[in-house]
Amino acid sequence: MNEHNNPLFAVQRRSGNRDETVYWKLNSVEGTNSEVIQPNEADKLAIAEAATMLREGGTVAFTTETVYGLGADARNTSAVEAVFAAKGRPSDNPLIVHIADTVALDELVAEVHPKAAALMAAYWPGPLTVVLPVREGVLSPCVTAGLDTVGVRMPDHPVALALISAAGCPVAAPSANRSGRPSPTLASHVMEDLAGYIDGVLDGGAAGVGLESTVVQVQPDGKVAVLRPGGITSEQLAAVVGAEAVSSESGNAETTAAATATATVLADSGTTNSVIDFSTAEPITAKATTAQSSADCLNVNNREPFERATASIEQHGADAAGGISAPRAPGMKYTHYAPRGWLAVVRGSSPQRVADEAASQLQAAQLNGEVTGLLLFEEHKALYPADPAACVLSLGSLSSPEEGARSLYAALRRFDEAGATYILAEACPYTGLGAAIMNRLMKAAGGSVIDAG
């Protein structure tokens, strides 16, 4: 079924009038990411106003070192509902809670495994989210999607930390984009998607990492499950807890392809296209309160910011007892990051094979009237004919995956600006940040892969 016809998806509310969204442009953070800044008086006032807006139940988008987040007081159900409604986000997709210091952690969670503590000591503040047992009754049930855990992180950006600290509350903040769209790395991306649907945007410049945080959960046996790859690589995790302790449960595209791909034939091509169903990524069965929590978040006090849930909630690997599954972390269940045009990832045994296949497919698509797009790596440009697509964008060098991570979402939005309807993207190795890049590309492509052989 179409995800946005699913009754668990929120309906976007408010008029879309840009004047309804307050926009603060900070001047003293230009060109910074995680450095200490000295905000001028105007910037201090803007941060204070945004913090007051959060405290009073408003929604504020703000920059972090990963992407822009859409924040709300994580304790305030009405405020959290407004986040879901602005994004059109599914109510069974949990939110990450952002804090400004470790003291706040004790108020939110029941316990911290020693390995989780070690990872936080190494990588907080930073792009690492740790899923922990939630302390009952502290957060809105909409934040946890009815699970007994919550993902928490401390962002490594001076604006984010200043805002959260000034607000004096834990801040639930998914990416500040329309659900399913590429995540925003600039305030202009936020305004493009959500102006008129949220209360404020605090423009702190470009996000640095460009991809969301890595999400991990430490199991009772001490294994560190990577639920979503991101700005902290598996190699970095292993440096703290040991390589034998790190396991991936994020639906690695190569593993998932082998397990769940079904073969179809691309029209007029004869090329095998593996369509990967990422919704089958291993879920955890939510506790019995999930259905009720979702319903509560769909219609509280008759405000109805969401469509009412129905009894026919889709089962994604729920146990035989009839429990309703919910993803343990954002990005595990639904399609994300997608441009408006059709996108597929091209992979093969050599860069030349990938380039030849991509060029052939793009030429055929162009003859069929498509506006074509190509996303490649700098080293491979010479392998393609001149002007292989109407819009050709580079993710930089394979030797500098940080550049690719920073530019991925902006590139996907550039294809929208160019009106691209048929887009191909080169695959990259699943090592280091490449794992996170491929995770996002595969989600954006809905699992569509062209195998060049």
Side-chain angles (χ1 to χ4, degrees), residues 112-139:
V112 178
H113 191 282
K115 284 188 177 177
L119 289 171
M120 290 185 288
Y123 299 119
W124 275 14
L128 177 69
T129 294
V130 184
V131 176
L132 299 163
V134 67
R135 194 177 289 278
E136 192 170 352
V138 176
L139 300 175

Side-chain angles (χ1 to χ4, degrees), residues 10 59 142 157 180-181 196 202 222 267-268 279 285 319 336 345 375 397 422:
T59 53
C142 298
H157 195 289
R181 296 274 293 133
L202 191 61
D268 303 319
S279 69
T285 301
D319 63 18
H336 293 274
V345 177
L375 189 60
S397 172
Y422 182 95

Side-chain angles (χ1 to χ4, degrees), residues 357-438:
E357 185 61 42
S360 175
Q361 295 289 339
L362 289 165
Q363 183 181 39
Q366 190 170 13
L367 291 174
N368 284 334
E370 303 281 3
V371 179
T372 55
L374 174 63
L375 189 60
L376 48 64
F377 290 93
E378 201 66 29
E379 294 91 333
H380 302 158
K381 278 186 174 181
L383 303 179
Y384 289 85
D387 302 320
C391 181
V392 179
L393 300 176
S394 171
L395 285 180
S397 172
L398 280 170
S399 63
S400 300
E402 296 83 4
E403 185 178 352
R406 264 195 308 272
S407 57
L408 175 59
Y409 291 142
L412 295 177
R413 287 176 177 268
R414 284 273 305 280
F415 286 128
D416 288 345
E417 294 169 7
T421 59
Y422 182 95
I423 307 161
L424 299 182
E426 292 186 341
C428 70
Y430 282 87
T431 56
L433 271 178
I437 293 171
M438 284 303 298

Side-chain angles (χ1 to χ4, degrees), residues 35-425:
E35 302 94 345
V36 175
I37 62 168
Q38 297 297 327
N40 58 35
E41 290 305 312
D43 289 352
K44 288 179 182 178
L45 179 61
I47 292 171
E49 290 176 352
T52 299
M53 188 176 282
L54 284 176
R55 263 196 318 275
E56 294 179 349
T59 53
V60 177
F62 59 96
T63 186
T64 76
E65 82 282 19
T66 57
V67 299
Y68 272 74
L70 177 57
D73 183 345
R75 306 164 303 183
N76 184 332
T77 291
S78 177
V80 174
E81 284 179 336
V83 169
F84 280 90
K87 285 175 59 68
R89 182 182 176 93
S91 64
D92 66 341
N93 203 3
L95 303 182
I96 291 170
V97 175
H98 296 64
I99 60 176
D101 56 68
T102 54
V103 174
L105 189 65
D106 294 334
E107 301 173 5
L108 302 179
V109 304
E111 61 179 320
V112 178
H113 191 282
K115 284 188 177 177
L119 289 171
M120 290 185 288
Y123 299 119
W124 275 14
L128 177 69
T129 294
V130 184
V131 176
L132 299 163
V134 67
R135 194 177 289 278
E136 192 170 352
V138 176
L139 300 175
S140 165
C142 298
V143 170
T144 60
L147 297 173
D148 58 5
T149 57
V150 62
V152 185
R153 93 174 185 98
M154 187 188 302
D156 188 15
H157 195 289
V159 171
L161 292 174
L163 175 65
I164 297 166
S165 180
C169 62
V171 176
S175 56
N177 56 290
R178 178 71 175 159
S179 189
R181 296 274 293 133
S183 298
T185 54
L186 296 171
S188 59
H189 298 159
V190 180
M191 294 295 286
E192 177 185 343
D193 279 10
L194 298 180
Y197 298 98
I198 62 178
D199 295 308
V201 176
L202 191 61
D203 184 350
V209 176
L211 296 178
E212 294 83 357
S213 61
T214 300
V215 181
V216 301
Q217 183 175 21
V218 180
Q219 308 298 331
D221 63 0
K223 291 285 187 182
V224 178
V226 180
L227 305 183
R228 181 182 72 184
I232 299 296
T233 66
S234 291
E235 291 84 354
Q236 289 174 294
L237 298 173
V240 175
V241 298
E244 71 286 349
V246 179
S247 64
S248 174
E249 297 190 10
S250 61
N252 176 287
E254 296 292 341
T255 303
T256 309
T260 64
T262 57
T264 59
V265 178
L266 286 175
D268 303 319
S269 72
T271 300
T272 300
N273 177 39
S274 298
V275 182
I276 304 167
D277 180 10
F278 277 85
S279 69
T280 59
E282 181 187 352
I284 189 170
T285 301
K287 60 183 181 180
T289 58
T290 300
Q292 187 59 47
S293 296
S294 295
D296 290 345
C297 294
L298 293 171
N299 183 6
V300 176
N301 297 333
N302 295 318
R303 289 187 299 274
E304 295 186 323
F306 301 102
E307 294 180 329
R308 182 176 295 277
T310 67
S312 59
I313 299 172
E314 290 182 289
Q315 301 277 325
H316 290 274
D319 63 18
I324 299 169
S325 68
R328 284 170 285 178
M332 292 186 72
K333 183 173 178 180
Y334 296 95
T335 299
H336 293 274
Y337 324 118
R340 294 189 177 96
W342 184 82
L343 170 67
V345 177
V346 187
R347 64 185 180 192
S349 58
S350 71
Q352 187 64 65
R353 283 181 177 270
V354 169
D356 289 346
E357 185 61 42
S360 175
Q361 295 289 339
L362 289 165
Q363 183 181 39
Q366 190 170 13
L367 291 174
N368 284 334
E370 303 281 3
V371 179
T372 55
L374 174 63
L375 189 60
L376 48 64
F377 290 93
E378 201 66 29
E379 294 91 333
H380 302 158
K381 278 186 174 181
L383 303 179
Y384 289 85
D387 302 320
C391 181
V392 179
L393 300 176
S394 171
L395 285 180
S397 172
L398 280 170
S399 63
S400 300
E402 296 83 4
E403 185 178 352
R406 264 195 308 272
S407 57
L408 175 59
Y409 291 142
L412 295 177
R413 287 176 177 268
R414 284 273 305 280
F415 286 128
D416 288 345
E417 294 169 7
T421 59
Y422 182 95
I423 307 161
L424 299 182

